[in-house]
Amino acid sequence: MLKEILSKREIKNVVWVAAGGSNGGNYPGHYFLDHEAKKLQSQMYTSNEFVYATPKYVNKNTFAIIVSMRGTPETCQAAKIAKEKGAVTMALYVDESELTEICDYKIAYESIMFDESDQSKTNAAVGLRLAMEILKETEGFAYYKEAVHAFEILDKIYNKAKKYCLTLAKDWAELNKSEKVISVLASGPSYAAGYIFSICNIMEMLQIVSPTINCCEFFHGPFEILDENTSVFLLISEGRTRPLDERALDFLKRHGGKKVYTLDARDLGILSFDEHIREYFNHLLFAPILNNVYMKGLSVATGVDYTTRKYMWKEKY
């Protein structure tokens, strides 16, 4: 697909468009291009912001990657606008919908919600793979083979990590089952995994307040809420920004209490990936572990069915 696209036009920028968890799932691909590309520009937009405030640079040199499981209305509208501006559009999807009819190209993915899904074929994984392919075809990517191997072993590493976390998650859930607020800290390549855990898993599915805080920004205001009773869930990523997470951990150890919890990518097997590309795979381990182990564990402990909603799919919004 990319060879066909690039034979017809020059791609100068990539836009990632989606809503909710799909928006968060675009982060690994965007983060990779944002840090590895020398000329190619990458940016993320939530669907309705793209609709109402479409960037002026979007044109025939834009590659728009648009993601929705089943064709969220505002995401479909964003796809229409991207096409009107001349961009080449690609839909990432689970079920065929208006989105797949609108877009020029499409790739199906598997949802992280299901244990049987192959984690190398989820929306975040497909997006990251696309980003790596785009860079390879436009500017070159020195560690492409290492990245391909990482995708090949990803699902195996995930399943091993899942088993490792089951008892840990059960204990965490039991300790936090009565909490009204659970703060999630993350940074760098893992930030969106924390964001999805907050807005989709804890708030949407379990109706518990959960702010997402960047570990760097923690020291510019949010740390004032910390005391020995504060519930904090910290993701420690592997890669260049790991010291930022460790700085937050050091402060949490000094001023927090027994409800400070850390999940370290090293304990999930990320060191199995080549050192040159492993930081880009933090999200692909964290996000499904948080959804399939920690969220579901908290659902059991609280007695809240994670498939229930108060407003979503029920109210007009």
Side-chain angles (χ1 to χ4, degrees):
M1 291 182 186
L2 287 171
K3 288 182 185 297
E4 179 181 323
I5 292 167
L6 292 170
S7 70
K8 297 177 181 179
R9 67 179 79 195
E10 181 183 5
I11 298 299
K12 295 182 179 180
N13 49 72
V14 179
V15 294
W16 306 80
V17 183
S22 297
N23 181 40
N26 281 341
Y27 187 78
H30 161 65
Y31 188 88
F32 169 80
L33 284 179
D34 199 36
H35 288 78
E36 291 292 333
K38 296 178 180 178
K39 295 182 179 179
L40 196 66
Q41 298 296 306
S42 176
Q43 189 54 265
M44 281 176 57
Y45 300 95
T46 190
S47 299
N48 247 357
E49 286 187 334
F50 188 85
V51 169
Y52 282 87
T54 311
K56 291 184 178 180
Y57 69 79
V58 176
N59 58 26
K60 65 179 182 179
N61 300 121
T62 301
F63 187 11
I65 300 171
I66 305 169
V67 187
S68 177
M69 290 182 69
R70 303 178 184 89
T72 302
E74 56 261 46
T75 303
C76 292
Q77 184 61 28
K80 291 178 183 178
I81 290 175
K83 284 197 75 171
E84 289 171 2
K85 296 293 183 181
V88 60
T89 54
M90 179 174 285
L92 303 188
Y93 70 101
V94 171
D95 296 329
E96 297 274 353
S97 67
E98 184 184 8
L99 180 66
T100 55
E101 295 175 3
I102 296 167
C103 291
D104 303 306
Y105 299 88
K106 61 183 180 180
I107 299 176
Y109 66 85
E110 299 180 15
S111 173
I112 68 168
M113 282 295 296
F114 306 114
D115 289 336
E116 62 269 23
S117 292
D118 183 335
Q119 295 304 319
S120 70
K121 297 178 181 179
T122 64
N123 58 313
V126 173
L128 177 60
R129 182 66 183 266
L130 262 175
M132 291 176 168
E133 295 286 351
I134 292 168
L135 187 65
K136 171 178 172 284
E137 295 295 332
T138 55
E139 299 182 19
F141 178 31
Y143 301 105
Y144 178 77
K145 290 183 179 179
E146 290 82 356
V148 170
H149 178 65
F151 283 109
E152 290 172 348
I153 64 174
L154 175 60
D155 197 55
K156 180 180 179 180
I157 293 173
Y158 159 74
N159 280 293
K160 186 175 180 180
K162 179 183 173 183
K163 292 179 181 178
Y164 165 79
C165 289
L166 285 173
T167 300
L168 296 173
K170 184 179 180 180
D171 293 342
W172 170 79
E174 189 63 27
L175 187 63
N176 287 274
K177 65 182 180 181
S178 298
E179 282 298 313
K180 302 299 182 184
V181 180
I182 299 174
S183 297
V184 179
L185 269 66
S187 74
S190 300
Y191 180 75
Y195 171 76
I196 293 171
F197 190 40
S198 286
I199 76 160
C200 297
N201 296 153
I202 301 178
M203 288 199 280
E204 176 191 329
M205 298 178 179
L206 302 178
Q207 295 89 56
I208 299 170
V209 175
S210 181
T212 317
I213 303 167
N214 188 296
C215 290
C216 302
E217 294 298 283
F218 180 61
F219 298 99
H220 299 277
F223 65 169
E224 293 296 343
I225 65 155
L226 184 65
D227 61 33
E228 61 181 13
N229 297 311
T230 308
S231 179
V232 180
F233 196 113
L234 169 66
L235 300 182
I236 303 179
S237 61
E238 179 61 21
R240 290 169 291 181
T241 64
R242 185 180 176 90
L244 313 180
D245 304 329
E246 292 177 331
R247 178 191 179 204
L249 177 60
D250 180 63
F251 192 89
L252 290 168
K253 283 181 176 179
R254 284 187 283 127
H255 298 284
K258 64 180 181 179
K259 290 185 179 179
V260 169
Y261 186 84
T262 61
L263 187 61
D264 193 329
R266 290 181 180 178
D267 294 330
L268 302 185
I270 201 166
L271 296 181
S272 299
F273 302 131
D274 183 88
E275 63 180 329
H276 297 98
I277 52 88
R278 65 174 59 131
E279 72 177 303
Y280 300 118
F281 286 79
N282 279 281
H283 181 106
L284 303 189
L285 287 177
F286 277 137
I289 289 292
L290 293 170
N291 180 89
N292 294 330
V293 183
Y294 286 87
M295 181 279 290
K296 291 179 180 178
L298 190 56
S299 173
V300 171
T302 59
V304 176
D305 180 356
Y306 65 86
T307 66
T308 62
R309 305 288 187 274
K310 290 193 297 183
Y311 309 116
M312 190 173 285
W313 310 309
K314 299 177 181 179
E315 293 280 339
K316 183 178 179 180
Y317 55 89

